[in-house]
Amino acid sequence: MSDHSDYSDRDVQREVTELQQKSATAARLFDIRRIIGGLFVIYGVIVTIAGFTVSDADLDKAVGVNINLWTGLGMLALGLFFLIWLKLRPLAPPPPPLPDQQQDSQ
């Protein structure tokens, strides 16, 4: 049976800090705004291209309105909004440890 007494408080604190940094990085990577914005931009490009290649028969079905073009442009705008929002207001980094916590670990 191994004894974990060889771990000091400083080692435990360092490991906790490393895990918090990894968690914050993962949270930034999987920010829902990035996922939604990216998907809307990708689908917006696809639907917009479909809107540029519309046939006359499809336009007649939609009473002359190029639905794919307008929907694609709307999706692009929404996707860009989410990505700009992410760029302007990124997730806040985790707060640094309080001075009291640093003194306790030393």
Side-chain angles (χ1 to χ4, degrees):
M1 189 151 123
S2 72
D3 186 27
H4 294 289
S5 62
D6 55 338
Y7 282 113
S8 69
D9 287 341
R10 177 172 281 176
D11 293 334
V12 172
Q13 181 64 28
R14 188 189 72 235
E15 287 184 32
V16 168
T17 302
E18 288 174 5
L19 287 173
Q20 286 174 340
Q21 290 171 346
K22 288 179 183 178
S23 176
T25 301
R28 281 193 295 276
L29 181 62
F30 294 109
D31 187 352
I32 192 74
R33 296 174 293 180
R34 180 183 315 261
I35 295 168
I36 291 173
L39 285 175
F40 267 96
V41 167
I42 290 170
Y43 291 140
V45 167
I46 293 169
V47 174
T48 301
I49 291 171
F52 284 131
T53 60
V54 70
S55 67
D56 290 336
D58 289 336
L59 274 177
D60 289 341
K61 286 181 192 176
V63 192
V65 177
N66 193 340
I67 295 172
N68 284 340
L69 179 64
W70 288 109
T71 303
L73 292 175
M75 292 172 80
L76 275 171
L78 183 63
L80 290 174
F81 166 76
F82 273 97
L83 294 176
I84 291 170
W85 179 24
L86 176 68
K87 185 73 172 172
L88 294 177
R89 303 281 281 194
L91 288 177
L98 298 173
D100 294 338
Q101 291 176 344
Q102 288 176 350
Q103 290 174 358
D104 290 342
S105 66
Q106 292 178 0

